[in-house]
Amino acid sequence: MTNFDSELHTLRAQTARKKQLHAMLDSLRTRRSDLETRERELEAVRAAEQKDVDRLEGRSLTALFYTVLGSKDAQLDKEQQEAHAAAAKHDSVVRELEAVRQDIARYERELDTLRDCEQQYEQALAAKRESLKKKGDAQAERILQLEQEIASQQAQEREIGEAIEAGLSARGTADSILSSLHSAGSWGTFDLLGGGLVADLAKHSHLDSAQDQIETLQIQLSRFRTELSDVTIHADIQAQVDGFLRFADYFFDGLFVDWMVLDRIQQSEAQVQNTADRIGDVLRRLYDMQAACQTATQDAQAELDQLVNDA
């Protein structure tokens, strides 16, 4: 590759990256706005739920009422569970929002370094076209078309590869959560059969592990969606990915409302399995797209090589 072609190759890659960054930033800024709204809503819910707990733990008339009924402990347990769920959902959104803000800042810094790459690319392309014409190359335009096609396919393949990497990370975390929930369910079954304190502690240890990983998975799912923002995919795949965005909400609603009940653990496990399956479906389609890009690149390269050899 000559220095002339090397410059074009670099500028093509920069132009493609700039386009990708714009698409990713558009997606991230929309997500940031949605998360900021959601964070304010959940903060209000969290404060309200905690207020209910404080009222029952204090000397309010509500606390007296439940004391007289003899059901204060049961009601307090219910309010504490709801407060725990609200806090977990709020914390999850706060962490995801911070991750989105960090991604936006990082991509904006990178974008700033690519400010003039399109103009430089067009200038270099025009210079090469003139050079080919001066040489009297009859296939000049076709050579340029093939080079652009190859560069476009390679850029698309890189974008797909980055999306695959993000999807594999999310799938790995989902599998780890499934393992934790499965273990929690097994200990929960043992608990029902008289496993006692040891079984109860083991069950909750695995549930704690699942909760910690859920927040990681939510961030990974959001990033997976961002990586797909500049990949041309079918509408039904996009709909699947959009469904990931409220995953943590649904999980915490299901688990903390009554997390002592084995059925709730099993429902959460089924939900995570469904999400893992959907990630797998998107990944399979991405692998197909990646293979198609590789085939198109090879075909274009073969034609280009033939033109160069015949010149």
Side-chain angles (χ1 to χ4, degrees):
M1 181 180 290
T2 66
N3 290 336
F4 198 85
D5 288 340
S6 177
E7 181 187 12
L8 267 176
H9 179 79
T10 299
L11 289 169
R12 281 195 195 101
Q14 290 178 347
T15 301
R17 179 59 176 170
K18 185 175 181 180
K19 177 175 176 289
Q20 181 187 23
L21 286 171
H22 275 300
M24 293 168 72
L25 281 168
D26 285 345
S27 175
L28 283 167
R29 287 164 182 155
T30 299
R31 183 61 178 154
R32 178 181 61 187
S33 178
D34 292 343
L35 285 170
E36 287 172 343
T37 300
R38 185 64 178 152
E39 190 275 330
R40 289 191 294 270
E41 293 172 350
L42 289 175
E43 185 179 33
V45 172
R46 180 177 191 166
E49 295 292 355
Q50 187 58 47
K51 188 175 180 180
D52 289 342
V53 172
D54 294 342
R55 188 165 59 246
L56 282 174
E57 290 179 333
R59 299 179 180 179
S60 67
L61 291 176
T62 302
L64 177 61
F65 174 74
Y66 281 112
T67 300
V68 171
L69 290 179
S71 59
K72 180 180 177 181
D73 287 345
Q75 185 64 23
L76 181 58
D77 285 345
K78 177 178 178 295
E79 296 295 349
Q80 287 174 332
Q81 289 170 4
E82 291 174 352
H84 194 175
K89 289 163 68 175
H90 180 246
D91 287 344
S92 177
V93 168
V94 167
R95 290 187 176 92
E96 185 183 353
L97 178 57
E98 178 58 27
V100 166
R101 286 170 173 163
Q102 290 177 1
D103 286 344
I104 288 173
R106 184 172 72 255
Y107 291 144
E108 285 178 338
R109 288 193 298 270
E110 183 180 355
L111 188 61
D112 193 54
T113 67
L114 302 174
R115 218 174 311 174
D116 302 321
C117 63
E118 294 103 334
Q119 296 92 323
Q120 294 174 18
Y121 173 65
E122 290 301 327
Q123 291 170 2
L125 192 62
K128 180 167 185 178
R129 183 176 284 111
E130 284 302 312
S131 175
L132 288 171
K133 286 180 180 177
K134 288 177 180 178
K135 290 179 180 178
D137 194 333
Q139 304 293 338
E141 283 301 321
R142 184 54 182 162
I143 289 172
L144 287 173
Q145 288 174 2
L146 287 168
E147 288 178 343
Q148 288 175 302
E149 181 180 343
I150 291 169
S152 176
Q153 291 293 341
Q154 288 175 337
Q156 178 78 341
E157 188 179 341
R158 281 194 298 273
E159 291 162 12
I160 293 171
E162 290 167 0
I164 287 172
E165 185 177 348
L168 288 173
S169 294
R171 179 57 193 261
T173 301
D175 288 342
S176 183
I177 293 168
L178 282 171
S179 177
S180 294
L181 289 174
H182 180 73
S183 296
S186 297
W187 281 106
T189 301
F190 183 46
D191 194 16
L192 290 176
L193 298 174
L197 180 61
V198 172
D200 197 42
L201 288 173
K203 176 180 68 178
H204 285 90
S205 174
H206 288 297
L207 288 174
D208 286 343
S209 177
Q211 179 188 344
D212 290 342
Q213 293 176 93
I214 282 294
E215 294 179 359
T216 299
L217 178 57
Q218 182 64 71
I219 292 171
Q220 289 174 330
L221 290 173
S222 182
R223 284 180 173 155
F224 186 27
R225 183 178 183 272
T226 299
E227 289 292 348
L228 288 168
S229 60
D230 194 41
V231 175
T232 305
I233 56 177
H234 300 296
D236 58 331
I237 304 180
Q238 190 63 58
Q240 283 184 299
V241 177
D242 286 343
F244 294 154
L245 298 185
R246 294 291 294 277
F247 172 76
D249 272 9
Y250 304 141
F251 179 86
F252 290 133
D253 279 340
L255 191 60
F256 286 117
V257 170
D258 190 2
W259 70 341
M260 300 294 287
V261 179
L262 183 61
D263 183 54
R264 288 292 183 182
I265 298 174
Q266 293 169 340
Q267 288 176 21
S268 296
E269 189 174 357
Q271 183 188 38
V272 177
Q273 183 63 63
N274 179 59
T275 298
D277 290 343
R278 288 162 62 193
I279 296 170
D281 183 48
V282 175
L283 283 171
R284 281 190 292 275
R285 298 185 188 211
L286 288 172
Y287 281 125
D288 289 342
M289 292 174 62
Q290 188 181 54
C293 281
Q294 291 169 346
T295 299
T297 299
Q298 291 168 359
D299 291 345
Q301 187 64 56
E303 183 180 349
L304 179 61
D305 291 344
Q306 187 64 48
L307 283 174
V308 172
N309 290 332
D310 292 343

